[in-house]
């Protein structure tokens, strides 16, 4: 993070790129912490603009993003995550521990100047990927069920509607 004297100047430069006010950026830059987020989930182009500025102490992190291949289809079943990709609702919350996996770690010894000590301790624990969860939801049937629910809500001025479609022989949920 830049020195306090430079904080206002850096904030002035970043405010337009990050579409935020100078005062709040200056406040964040002057926090007594080793690391602060100035903005999150910004467009890739914004990150490139920030990098091109070459401001001291300012960097860009690429964060993983959860993709929803079917968009909002079955969203009430799949659920959603927070900004840190932690499941908050639906299957994403229920199976968050299974889906997330575990981060890896690297433990190493450094000299006071920050250089790695070649003969020092160096332990790597590789990350463990999460597991897939396979649903029995059928996209086409789910789409038709969602249209039918929306139609029923409109027709009867209902606040909500529920539809569950199961396969009789197996009990598989084809739409919900």
């Amino acid at each position: 993070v830049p020195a306090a004297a430079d904080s206002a100047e850096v904030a002035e430069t970043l405010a337009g790129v990050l579409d935020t006010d100078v005062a709040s950026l200056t406040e964040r830059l002057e926090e007594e912490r080793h690391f602060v987020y100035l903005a999150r989930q910004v467009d890739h182009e914004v990150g490139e603009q920030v990098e091109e500025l070459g401001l001291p102490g300012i960097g860009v992190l690429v964060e993983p993003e959860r993709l929803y291949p079917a968009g909002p289809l079955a969203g009430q079943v799949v659920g959603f995550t927070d900004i840190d990709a932690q499941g908050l609702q639906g299957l994403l919350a229920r199976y968050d521990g299974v889906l997330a996996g575990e981060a890896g770690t690297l433990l190493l010894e450094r000299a006071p100047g920050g250089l790695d000590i070649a003969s020092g301790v160096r332990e790597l624990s590789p990350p463990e990927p999460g597991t897939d969860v396979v649903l029995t939801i059928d996209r086409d049937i789910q789409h038709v069920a969602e249209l039918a629910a929306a139609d029923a809500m409109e027709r009867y001025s209902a606040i909500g509607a529920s539809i569950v479609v199961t396969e009789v022989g197996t009990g598989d949920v084809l739409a919900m």
Side-chain angles (χ1 to χ4, degrees):
V1 177
D6 299 328
S7 297
E9 187 178 317
V10 170
E12 183 79 36
T13 305
L14 283 173
V17 176
L18 298 178
D19 193 30
T20 190
D21 64 286
V22 176
S24 66
L25 280 177
T26 303
E27 186 178 312
R28 301 281 299 160
L29 288 167
E30 292 177 353
E31 288 184 24
E32 292 292 326
R33 295 169 49 187
H34 293 291
F35 173 86
V36 293
Y37 284 107
L38 300 178
R40 292 187 76 183
Q41 293 187 332
V42 298
D43 291 336
H44 182 75
E45 294 76 25
V46 172
E48 287 178 338
Q49 289 174 355
V50 170
E51 282 185 330
E52 287 171 9
L53 293 171
L55 297 169
I58 304 298
V60 175
L61 296 174
V62 177
E63 295 185 291
E65 179 183 358
R66 191 174 300 258
L67 299 175
Y68 299 90
L73 191 68
Q76 69 282 4
V77 175
V78 174
F80 58 90
T81 64
D82 65 10
I83 193 169
D84 292 314
Q86 304 264 324
L88 295 178
Q89 290 289 326
L91 294 172
L92 290 174
R94 172 65 177 90
Y95 293 105
D96 189 61
V98 174
L99 294 165
E102 292 188 31
T105 59
L106 174 61
L107 174 67
L108 53 90
E109 274 186 280
R110 287 196 169 151
L115 296 174
D116 293 356
I117 299 174
S119 62
V121 173
R122 185 176 191 87
E123 296 175 13
L124 173 67
S125 297
E128 297 199 20
T131 305
D132 292 338
V133 173
V134 179
L135 306 180
T136 56
I137 301 276
D138 180 285
R139 281 183 178 206
D140 294 331
I141 297 171
Q142 179 70 31
H143 179 69
V144 171
E146 288 185 18
L147 290 175
D151 181 56
M153 287 173 53
E154 185 177 326
R155 182 180 304 157
Y156 299 108
S157 300
I159 295 171
S162 296
I163 296 177
V164 178
V165 180
T166 60
E167 186 166 335
V168 176
T170 63
D172 290 350
V173 176
L174 303 177
M176 183 179 289

